[in-house]
Amino acid sequence: MCIRDRFGKGSRTVLRVDCDADAGARERYTRELLDRLGVKAERRLLGVIASGTSDLASLKTDLEKLAIDGGTITLEDFERETIAVSDAKAYKYAAAMTEGRVAQALAIAAEIFETEPREAAVPMLYALATEFGAVWEAGRSGGEIPPRLRWKERALKNAARRIGAAGARRAYELTVDAFESLVTGKVADARQIIEVLTAEIAALPSG
């Protein structure tokens, strides 16, 4: 997970997830690999891979297996095969949160913690920050949705209309605060961090 400081207006420092270079490299690698394998992939799958955290060696193994049947690799195919399924499931959690489906988000989070209790929180926090950052861009004046997420522009704009740019930014900041609490050891219980964060975001006013 890549986080760096970015200074906003006034004296407040806003921490932004800034992994565009890494994401771009992952997407280029994936496209080149797919070309060599003679197959295609759904656009939404490319978006998940680009924003993921699984290592490239594992990714290569998964795609080589899926390429055996030829054709187009779907996100569902990838989820069934992938070694690190937490990335794809983390984005399902994040999408449910941006769309206001809180109960479903909590159910997905619980499933992730069951399968990967030690490593579950970071992919979910990364996915949540990425999604709400994109919703913020979709809702603010002059904002620009990251290229790797433009395949879901309609969903992001719908979320922006529902919660507003200010709400999306606040959700983003709460997520970054939660990540800091996790990595600094301020809160040791990763599951508690996700559950409290989910409740805090769900309680944000709409519009």
Side-chain angles (χ1 to χ4, degrees), residues 137-163:
E137 293 294 339
R140 73 182 182 88
S141 177
E144 183 176 351
I145 296 171
R148 69 183 185 276
L149 294 178
R150 286 177 186 160
W151 63 273
K152 58 185 304 179
E153 183 174 358
R154 179 180 297 179
L156 294 171
K157 287 184 175 179
N158 286 341
R161 283 191 288 270
R162 185 179 64 82
I163 63 177

Short mmCIF file of all heavy atoms in Angstrom, two decimals, residues 137-163:
data_model
loop_
_atom_site.label_atom_id
_atom_site.label_comp_id
_atom_site.label_asym_id
_atom_site.label_seq_id
_atom_site.Cartn_x
_atom_site.Cartn_y
_atom_site.Cartn_z
N GLU A 137 -13.42 12.33 -6.40
CA GLU A 137 -13.06 12.95 -7.68
C GLU A 137 -14.28 13.07 -8.59
O GLU A 137 -14.44 14.06 -9.31
CB GLU A 137 -11.97 12.13 -8.37
CG GLU A 137 -10.62 12.13 -7.67
CD GLU A 137 -9.96 13.51 -7.67
OE1 GLU A 137 -10.32 14.35 -8.52
OE2 GLU A 137 -9.10 13.74 -6.80
N ALA A 138 -15.14 12.05 -8.57
CA ALA A 138 -16.33 12.08 -9.43
C ALA A 138 -17.31 13.16 -9.01
O ALA A 138 -18.07 13.67 -9.84
CB ALA A 138 -17.02 10.71 -9.39
N GLY A 139 -17.30 13.52 -7.72
CA GLY A 139 -18.28 14.47 -7.21
C GLY A 139 -17.82 15.90 -7.11
O GLY A 139 -18.64 16.82 -7.11
N ARG A 140 -16.52 16.13 -7.05
CA ARG A 140 -16.05 17.51 -6.85
C ARG A 140 -15.87 18.22 -8.18
O ARG A 140 -15.65 17.59 -9.22
CB ARG A 140 -14.75 17.52 -6.06
CG ARG A 140 -13.52 17.05 -6.81
CD ARG A 140 -12.30 17.06 -5.91
NE ARG A 140 -11.09 16.67 -6.62
CZ ARG A 140 -10.31 17.51 -7.28
NH1 ARG A 140 -10.62 18.80 -7.35
NH2 ARG A 140 -9.21 17.07 -7.89
N SER A 141 -15.95 19.54 -8.14
CA SER A 141 -15.77 20.35 -9.34
C SER A 141 -14.34 20.22 -9.84
O SER A 141 -13.38 20.40 -9.08
CB SER A 141 -16.07 21.82 -9.02
OG SER A 141 -15.84 22.64 -10.14
N GLY A 142 -14.18 19.87 -11.10
CA GLY A 142 -12.85 19.72 -11.67
C GLY A 142 -12.17 18.41 -11.33
O GLY A 142 -11.00 18.21 -11.67
N GLY A 143 -12.89 17.51 -10.68
CA GLY A 143 -12.30 16.23 -10.31
C GLY A 143 -12.08 15.33 -11.51
O GLY A 143 -12.74 15.48 -12.55
N GLU A 144 -11.17 14.39 -11.36
CA GLU A 144 -10.86 13.47 -12.46
C GLU A 144 -10.75 12.05 -11.92
O GLU A 144 -9.91 11.76 -11.07
CB GLU A 144 -9.55 13.87 -13.13
CG GLU A 144 -9.21 13.01 -14.33
CD GLU A 144 -7.95 13.47 -15.05
OE1 GLU A 144 -7.44 14.55 -14.71
OE2 GLU A 144 -7.47 12.73 -15.92
N ILE A 145 -11.59 11.17 -12.42
CA ILE A 145 -11.56 9.77 -12.00
C ILE A 145 -10.28 9.13 -12.54
O ILE A 145 -9.94 9.31 -13.72
CB ILE A 145 -12.79 9.03 -12.54
CG1 ILE A 145 -14.07 9.61 -11.93
CG2 ILE A 145 -12.71 7.53 -12.23
CD1 ILE A 145 -15.34 9.09 -12.55
N PRO A 146 -9.53 8.40 -11.71
CA PRO A 146 -8.31 7.74 -12.20
C PRO A 146 -8.61 6.86 -13.41
O PRO A 146 -9.66 6.19 -13.45
CB PRO A 146 -7.87 6.89 -10.99
CG PRO A 146 -8.46 7.58 -9.81
CD PRO A 146 -9.77 8.13 -10.28
N PRO A 147 -7.74 6.86 -14.41
CA PRO A 147 -7.98 6.09 -15.64
C PRO A 147 -8.35 4.64 -15.39
O PRO A 147 -9.21 4.08 -16.07
CB PRO A 147 -6.65 6.22 -16.40
CG PRO A 147 -6.09 7.52 -15.94
CD PRO A 147 -6.48 7.63 -14.48
N ARG A 148 -7.71 4.00 -14.40
CA ARG A 148 -7.95 2.58 -14.18
C ARG A 148 -9.33 2.30 -13.60
O ARG A 148 -9.75 1.14 -13.54
CB ARG A 148 -6.87 2.00 -13.26
CG ARG A 148 -6.92 2.48 -11.82
CD ARG A 148 -5.79 1.91 -11.01
NE ARG A 148 -5.87 2.25 -9.61
CZ ARG A 148 -5.43 3.37 -9.08
NH1 ARG A 148 -4.89 4.29 -9.86
NH2 ARG A 148 -5.52 3.60 -7.78
N LEU A 149 -10.05 3.36 -13.16
CA LEU A 149 -11.38 3.18 -12.59
C LEU A 149 -12.49 3.75 -13.47
O LEU A 149 -13.66 3.75 -13.07
CB LEU A 149 -11.44 3.82 -11.20
CG LEU A 149 -10.57 3.18 -10.11
CD1 LEU A 149 -10.70 3.93 -8.80
CD2 LEU A 149 -10.95 1.71 -9.92
N ARG A 150 -12.14 4.22 -14.66
CA ARG A 150 -13.15 4.82 -15.51
C ARG A 150 -14.17 3.82 -16.04
O ARG A 150 -15.25 4.19 -16.47
CB ARG A 150 -12.48 5.57 -16.68
CG ARG A 150 -11.83 6.87 -16.22
CD ARG A 150 -11.10 7.59 -17.31
NE ARG A 150 -10.39 8.74 -16.76
CZ ARG A 150 -9.37 9.33 -17.37
NH1 ARG A 150 -8.95 8.88 -18.54
NH2 ARG A 150 -8.78 10.36 -16.81
N TRP A 151 -13.83 2.54 -15.99
CA TRP A 151 -14.79 1.52 -16.42
C TRP A 151 -16.03 1.50 -15.53
O TRP A 151 -17.09 1.05 -15.93
CB TRP A 151 -14.12 0.14 -16.42
CG TRP A 151 -13.67 -0.34 -15.08
CD1 TRP A 151 -12.46 -0.08 -14.48
CD2 TRP A 151 -14.40 -1.15 -14.16
NE1 TRP A 151 -12.40 -0.67 -13.25
CE2 TRP A 151 -13.58 -1.35 -13.02
CE3 TRP A 151 -15.67 -1.74 -14.19
CZ2 TRP A 151 -13.99 -2.09 -11.93
CZ3 TRP A 151 -16.08 -2.48 -13.09
CH2 TRP A 151 -15.24 -2.65 -11.98
N LYS A 152 -15.90 2.04 -14.30
CA LYS A 152 -17.05 2.07 -13.39
C LYS A 152 -17.48 3.50 -13.10
O LYS A 152 -18.00 3.81 -12.02
CB LYS A 152 -16.72 1.32 -12.10
CG LYS A 152 -15.52 1.84 -11.34
CD LYS A 152 -15.19 0.95 -10.15
CE LYS A 152 -16.36 0.79 -9.21
NZ LYS A 152 -16.08 -0.08 -8.06
N GLU A 153 -17.30 4.38 -14.08
CA GLU A 153 -17.60 5.80 -13.91
C GLU A 153 -19.05 6.03 -13.50
O GLU A 153 -19.34 6.86 -12.63
CB GLU A 153 -17.30 6.55 -15.20
CG GLU A 153 -17.53 8.05 -15.10
CD GLU A 153 -17.07 8.79 -16.36
OE1 GLU A 153 -16.56 8.13 -17.28
OE2 GLU A 153 -17.22 10.01 -16.40
N ARG A 154 -19.98 5.29 -14.10
CA ARG A 154 -21.40 5.50 -13.78
C ARG A 154 -21.67 5.21 -12.31
O ARG A 154 -22.35 5.99 -11.62
CB ARG A 154 -22.28 4.60 -14.65
CG ARG A 154 -23.77 4.75 -14.35
CD ARG A 154 -24.61 3.85 -15.24
NE ARG A 154 -24.46 4.20 -16.64
CZ ARG A 154 -25.07 3.56 -17.61
NH1 ARG A 154 -25.84 2.50 -17.34
NH2 ARG A 154 -24.92 3.93 -18.87
N ALA A 155 -21.13 4.09 -11.80
CA ALA A 155 -21.35 3.74 -10.39
C ALA A 155 -20.71 4.77 -9.46
O ALA A 155 -21.29 5.12 -8.42
CB ALA A 155 -20.78 2.35 -10.11
N LEU A 156 -19.54 5.27 -9.83
CA LEU A 156 -18.86 6.26 -9.00
C LEU A 156 -19.65 7.58 -8.95
O LEU A 156 -19.77 8.21 -7.90
CB LEU A 156 -17.44 6.51 -9.53
CG LEU A 156 -16.48 5.33 -9.42
CD1 LEU A 156 -15.18 5.62 -10.17
CD2 LEU A 156 -16.18 4.99 -7.96
N LYS A 157 -20.20 7.98 -10.10
CA LYS A 157 -20.98 9.22 -10.14
C LYS A 157 -22.29 9.06 -9.38
O LYS A 157 -22.75 10.01 -8.72
CB LYS A 157 -21.23 9.63 -11.59
CG LYS A 157 -19.98 10.18 -12.27
CD LYS A 157 -20.27 10.68 -13.68
CE LYS A 157 -19.03 11.33 -14.27
NZ LYS A 157 -19.26 11.82 -15.65
N ASN A 158 -22.88 7.88 -9.46
CA ASN A 158 -24.10 7.63 -8.67
C ASN A 158 -23.80 7.72 -7.18
O ASN A 158 -24.58 8.29 -6.41
CB ASN A 158 -24.66 6.25 -9.01
CG ASN A 158 -25.34 6.20 -10.36
OD1 ASN A 158 -25.72 7.24 -10.91
ND2 ASN A 158 -25.49 5.02 -10.91
N ALA A 159 -22.66 7.16 -6.78
CA ALA A 159 -22.27 7.23 -5.37
C ALA A 159 -22.00 8.67 -4.96
O ALA A 159 -22.36 9.09 -3.85
CB ALA A 159 -21.03 6.37 -5.13
N ALA A 160 -21.39 9.44 -5.87
CA ALA A 160 -21.09 10.84 -5.57
C ALA A 160 -22.38 11.65 -5.39
O ALA A 160 -22.45 12.53 -4.53
CB ALA A 160 -20.24 11.44 -6.69
N ARG A 161 -23.40 11.35 -6.20
CA ARG A 161 -24.68 12.04 -6.04
C ARG A 161 -25.34 11.67 -4.71
O ARG A 161 -26.02 12.50 -4.09
CB ARG A 161 -25.60 11.71 -7.21
CG ARG A 161 -25.27 12.45 -8.49
CD ARG A 161 -26.37 12.29 -9.52
NE ARG A 161 -26.39 10.96 -10.08
CZ ARG A 161 -25.70 10.60 -11.16
NH1 ARG A 161 -24.93 11.48 -11.78
NH2 ARG A 161 -25.76 9.36 -11.61
N ARG A 162 -25.13 10.43 -4.28
CA ARG A 162 -25.77 9.96 -3.05
C ARG A 162 -25.13 10.56 -1.81
O ARG A 162 -25.84 11.01 -0.89
CB ARG A 162 -25.72 8.43 -2.97
CG ARG A 162 -26.46 7.84 -1.79
CD ARG A 162 -26.38 6.32 -1.79
NE ARG A 162 -25.02 5.85 -1.62
CZ ARG A 162 -24.41 5.74 -0.43
NH1 ARG A 162 -25.05 6.09 0.68
NH2 ARG A 162 -23.18 5.29 -0.35
N ILE A 163 -23.81 10.56 -1.74
CA ILE A 163 -23.14 11.00 -0.51
C ILE A 163 -22.48 12.37 -0.63
O ILE A 163 -22.11 12.96 0.38
CB ILE A 163 -22.09 9.97 -0.05
CG1 ILE A 163 -20.97 9.82 -1.10
CG2 ILE A 163 -22.72 8.63 0.22
CD1 ILE A 163 -19.88 8.88 -0.67
#
